[in-house]
Amino acid sequence: MISVRETNSLMTGKDILSMRVARMLFGRNLSSRVSSDELHILNQAQWSLRTLDSGVTLFDQGDDCQSVTVLISGWALRQQNLPDGKRQILDFVLPGSLLGFSSSARNSYGIETVTPCVVVSLPLRQFYTLLSRVPALAIRVAEIVAESEVRAYTHVTNLGRRSAKERVASFIVQMMQRMADIGSHSSPYQFELPITQVAIADALGLSNEHVCRTLSKLTADGRIRMKGHRITVLDPKALMRDACIDLTSAMSLENSAEIEAALAA
Amino acid sequence: MISVRETNSLMTGKDILSMRVARMLFGRNLSSRVSSDELHILNQAQWSLRTLDSGVTLFDQGDDCQSVTVLISGWALRQQNLPDGKRQILDFVLPGSLLGFSSSARNSYGIETVTPCVVVSLPLRQFYTLLSRVPALAIRVAEIVAESEVRAYTHVTNLGRRSAKERVASFIVQMMQRMADIGSHSSPYQFELPITQVAIADALGLSNEHVCRTLSKLTADGRIRMKGHRITVLDPKALMRDACIDLTSAMSLENSAEIEAALAA
DNA sequence: CGACTCCTTGACTTGTCTCAACCTAAGTGG
DNA sequence: CCACTTAGGTTGAGACAAGTCAAGGAGTCG
C-alpha cells in the first residue's frame, strides 16, 4: 500500500505536484534543460492524481486516447491481447514512464498495474498545449518515447532470435540494469521482481512451464538464486554469456553497476 | 535507381530541400501545425543530402549518435545482430521515417538500405537546436517516434504469440496497410516488396525455408499470389483471419483501403 | 558458359508447447 | 484454530511446430 504520508506530501498543493511530475520526467537534468519561464508554465499544469490498486486496468487496448499519464510510483505493464485469448506483455512500466501518448486516436496496447500505483494524468489536449509552450518538454517526451522504442526493439530481438534460456537470461540482465538505473536497491545484483512466472512467460513469448524449467536450470547452474520474488544474480558474466549479449551492451551495464556502486559508497 | 530529374529538383536550392524535409515529416498537416515564423526557421536548417546504393550501411549498431537522418525515398531496414551471427530485422523503414534520434549516446540498432535511397541528415546538435526553436517539430518528432514504437510493439506480439502462418499473414497485411498509407500503388491489394525471403525470415524470427513453405501454403490456399516481388492479396478477410487479427485493427485497415480507393477515383 | 544469389522441396531433429498431475503457501470463513 | 479454497509454482510424458541439413532448380550477371 501507498503510505499516507507520501500521498499527503503529493497533495500539499497543485504546484508541488506538477513540480514533482516535472522532476519525474526530466530526472536530475531538470534545472539544466528547463528555463525558469518554462518551469513556471510547467508548474501551472493541472495534473490530476490517482492511487490505484494492483491488478487494475488503467486503460484497454483500443480505447480512445484521452489523456496522458505519468507513473509516479509502483509497477505496471503494457500488454496486447489476441482475439484467441493469448496475451503478450510488451514492457514493464517503471516510475517516470509516460503512458498513452500516441499520434493515433486509439491506444494500441493496454496498461495494467502490477503493484499499487500512484499516477498523474492530464487531458491530451492540455498536454499538447503544454508541449507547444515548453519545447524542452516536447524534446524530453520524444526522448522518453525513444527510450521505450529502444526497449521494444531489444524485445523484438529477444523474441525473434533468442532461445528460451537466452531470453530468460537476458530478461534478468535487463531488469537488473533497469532496477539499478532507478537505484531502488542497495546492491545492483539483487532485486525484487513483483511479477509471477506467468507474466514472465507472457513477456518472453514462452509457456509458464518452460519459464519455470529454465529458471530452475539457471539456478542449478549457479547463475542466480531465487527466494520468493527476490532474485540474486550470482554470476553476472556467465548470465550475460547465457543471454548471448555482446560486449558493447555489457559495457554499458558494467558502467551503470559501477556508477551504482560509487553512489552507494 | 533514383532518376536524375528527382535528384536535381531536390538540389535546386537549400531552402527547397529543407522545405521538402518539412513536408516529409509533417505530411499534409504542415501548414496547419507550423506557424509561418516556425516555417522560416525550419527552412534555414542545413540538411545535407546523400544518395545511397542498395545494400549500404547507413550506420551500425553501437555507433555514436552523431546525426539525425530522414529517409526521403527508397526502402531501408533497422536491424540488430547477435554476437553468434544471428540477425533480427526490427522494422522496414519507409520514406518519411526519422533515423538515429535517440537519447542514448550509441545507436542500439543499425540501418541498411534495401533499395537505392535518398536521405538527408543534420548533426544531432543542430537538430536539437531546431527542436527547441520549433516546438511543433519537437511534437511531431515525438509522434513519429511513437508511431514506430507502436509498430515495434505489434512486432513484439507477432513474434511472441503468433505461429509462423499467423506471422507471415499479419506481415503481409501490415505491409499492405503501410504501402496504402504512402499511396505508392494504384490498388491497395497489390504491391511490390523489394526484399528477399531471407529478410522476411529475419524480420519474423523464422528460418527462410519455413517462410518459403508458409508463403507457398498461403498461395495454395488462395490468400495471395506472388510474381517475383509483387504480391497480390486475393482474399484480405481470410488473410486477416489467418493472421489472427481482431476486428478493431481490421477496421482501421478497411478505412484506409476505402480512403485509398476514394483517392484513386 | 559458369558463378552467383535466391528460392524450393524433402527428410530428419529438436526446442518448446500442451496436458495432466501434484505441491506449496497464503488467504478465508466457519 | 483448522479445513477449505485458490493462485502460483514444479515436474513428467508425449506431441508438434519450426529448425537444420542437404540437394537441386530458377533466374541473373559478367
Side-chain angles (χ1 to χ4, degrees):
Chain A
M1 282 290 288
I2 300 302
S3 75
V4 177
R5 182 141 38 90
E6 184 181 7
T7 311
N8 279 346
S9 81
L10 275 170
M11 299 199 64
T12 317
K14 279 283 179 194
D15 54 309
I16 305 283
L17 175 59
S18 57
M19 188 70 155
R20 169 134 188 210
V21 175
R23 265 205 310 275
M24 218 63 216
L25 292 174
F26 283 93
R28 56 194 64 182
N29 300 322
L30 180 60
S31 54
S32 65
R33 295 183 58 171
V34 180
S35 72
S36 59
D37 281 0
E38 288 179 318
L39 201 58
H40 185 67
I41 300 173
L42 282 180
N43 278 339
Q44 288 177 333
Q46 302 285 312
W47 295 95
S48 66
L49 182 82
R50 265 188 301 168
T51 306
L52 302 172
D53 263 350
S54 63
V56 168
T57 300
L58 190 59
F59 55 80
D60 266 324
Q61 148 192 23
D63 281 2
D64 285 343
C65 299
Q66 290 173 331
S67 62
V68 165
T69 302
V70 178
L71 182 63
I72 301 293
S73 72
W75 271 52
L77 54 81
R78 259 181 257 256
Q79 62 180 12
Q80 278 181 346
N81 292 296
L82 294 188
D84 61 2
K86 280 179 284 191
R87 171 171 88 146
Q88 176 66 49
I89 293 178
L90 303 169
D91 196 13
F92 292 102
V93 181
L94 271 45
S97 295
L98 187 73
L99 305 169
F101 176 79
S102 152
S103 68
S104 73
R106 286 164 184 282
N107 287 305
S108 63
Y109 51 80
I111 299 282
E112 209 163 272
T113 60
V114 172
T115 66
C117 288
V118 176
V119 301
V120 295
S121 40
L122 197 66
L124 195 61
R125 278 177 175 276
Q126 286 181 42
F127 188 66
Y128 262 83
T129 308
L130 198 62
L131 290 182
S132 62
R133 294 181 64 194
V134 186
L137 179 62
I139 294 176
R140 182 63 197 139
V141 166
E143 287 180 351
I144 289 173
V145 179
E147 281 165 23
S148 60
E149 184 198 22
V150 166
R151 265 204 310 284
Y153 283 144
T154 61
H155 202 165
V156 167
T157 304
N158 275 354
L159 300 190
R161 288 298 181 214
R162 280 196 239 252
S163 70
K165 185 183 180 185
E166 291 167 341
R167 283 183 222 181
V168 173
S170 66
F171 172 74
I172 295 173
V173 170
Q174 204 201 342
M175 288 321 299
M176 177 168 76
Q177 284 179 287
R178 290 186 72 184
M179 301 308 276
D181 284 347
I182 316 187
S184 57
H185 291 78
S186 54
S187 160
Y189 297 120
Q190 197 173 80
F191 55 92
E192 200 84 21
L193 267 193
I195 51 173
T196 65
Q197 289 186 6
V198 176
I200 298 178
D202 282 341
L204 300 184
L206 300 168
S207 65
N208 51 1
E209 295 95 331
H210 205 62
V211 167
C212 177
R213 279 186 259 264
T214 310
L215 282 172
S216 309
K217 197 144 201 305
L218 288 175
T219 306
D221 292 350
R223 308 296 200 244
I224 59 170
R225 189 167 47 214
M226 293 193 310
K227 203 163 202 174
H229 285 172
R230 170 161 294 266
I231 291 190
T232 309
V233 175
L234 301 172
D235 191 341
K237 291 204 169 163
L239 192 64
M240 287 193 285
R241 247 180 288 118
D242 286 341
C244 196
I245 294 177
D246 67 355
L247 291 169
T248 57
S249 330
M251 256 173 32
S252 80
L253 168 76
E254 298 208 334
N255 286 345
S256 73
E258 275 170 29
I259 291 166
E260 187 59 24
L263 288 174
Chain B
M1 282 290 290
I2 301 302
S3 76
V4 177
R5 184 141 37 91
E6 184 180 7
T7 310
N8 279 347
S9 80
L10 277 169
M11 299 199 64
T12 317
K14 280 283 180 193
D15 55 308
I16 306 283
L17 175 57
S18 57
M19 188 70 154
R20 168 134 189 208
V21 174
R23 265 204 310 274
M24 218 63 215
L25 293 174
F26 284 93
R28 54 194 67 182
N29 300 322
L30 179 59
S31 54
S32 66
R33 295 182 58 168
V34 180
S35 71
S36 59
D37 281 0
E38 288 179 316
L39 201 58
H40 185 69
I41 300 173
L42 281 181
N43 278 337
Q44 288 176 333
Q46 301 286 313
W47 295 95
S48 65
L49 181 82
R50 264 186 301 169
T51 305
L52 301 171
D53 263 349
S54 63
V56 168
T57 300
L58 191 58
F59 55 80
D60 265 323
Q61 146 192 25
D63 280 2
D64 286 341
C65 298
Q66 291 173 330
S67 62
V68 165
T69 301
V70 178
L71 183 62
I72 301 293
S73 72
W75 272 52
L77 53 81
R78 261 180 255 257
Q79 61 179 11
Q80 279 182 345
N81 291 295
L82 295 187
D84 61 2
K86 281 179 284 194
R87 170 172 88 146
Q88 176 66 48
I89 293 178
L90 304 169
D91 196 13
F92 293 102
V93 181
L94 270 44
S97 296
L98 187 72
L99 305 169
F101 176 78
S102 152
S103 68
S104 73
R106 286 161 184 284
N107 287 304
S108 63
Y109 53 79
I111 298 283
E112 210 163 271
T113 60
V114 171
T115 67
C117 288
V118 175
V119 302
V120 296
S121 38
L122 197 65
L124 195 60
R125 280 179 174 276
Q126 286 181 42
F127 188 66
Y128 263 83
T129 308
L130 198 62
L131 291 183
S132 61
R133 295 181 65 194
V134 185
L137 179 62
I139 294 175
R140 183 63 197 138
V141 167
E143 286 180 353
I144 290 174
V145 179
E147 281 165 23
S148 60
E149 185 199 22
V150 166
R151 264 203 312 283
Y153 283 144
T154 60
H155 202 165
V156 166
T157 304
N158 274 354
L159 300 191
R161 289 296 180 215
R162 279 197 240 254
S163 69
K165 185 183 180 184
E166 291 167 340
R167 283 183 221 181
V168 173
S170 65
F171 172 74
I172 294 173
V173 171
Q174 202 200 346
M175 289 319 300
M176 177 168 76
Q177 283 180 286
R178 291 186 70 183
M179 301 307 276
D181 285 347
I182 316 187
S184 56
H185 291 78
S186 53
S187 160
Y189 298 120
Q190 196 173 80
F191 54 93
E192 200 84 22
L193 267 192
I195 52 173
T196 66
Q197 289 187 7
V198 176
I200 298 177
D202 283 341
L204 300 184
L206 300 167
S207 66
N208 51 1
E209 294 94 333
H210 205 62
V211 167
C212 177
R213 277 187 261 263
T214 310
L215 283 171
S216 308
K217 198 145 200 308
L218 288 175
T219 306
D221 291 350
R223 310 296 199 242
I224 59 170
R225 188 167 49 213
M226 293 194 309
K227 203 164 201 174
H229 285 175
R230 169 163 294 267
I231 291 190
T232 309
V233 175
L234 301 173
D235 191 341
K237 291 205 169 164
L239 192 64
M240 288 194 284
R241 249 181 286 119
D242 287 340
C244 195
I245 294 176
D246 67 354
L247 291 169
T248 57
S249 330
M251 256 172 35
S252 82
L253 168 78
E254 296 209 334
N255 285 345
S256 73
E258 273 170 32
I259 291 166
E260 185 60 22
L263 286 174

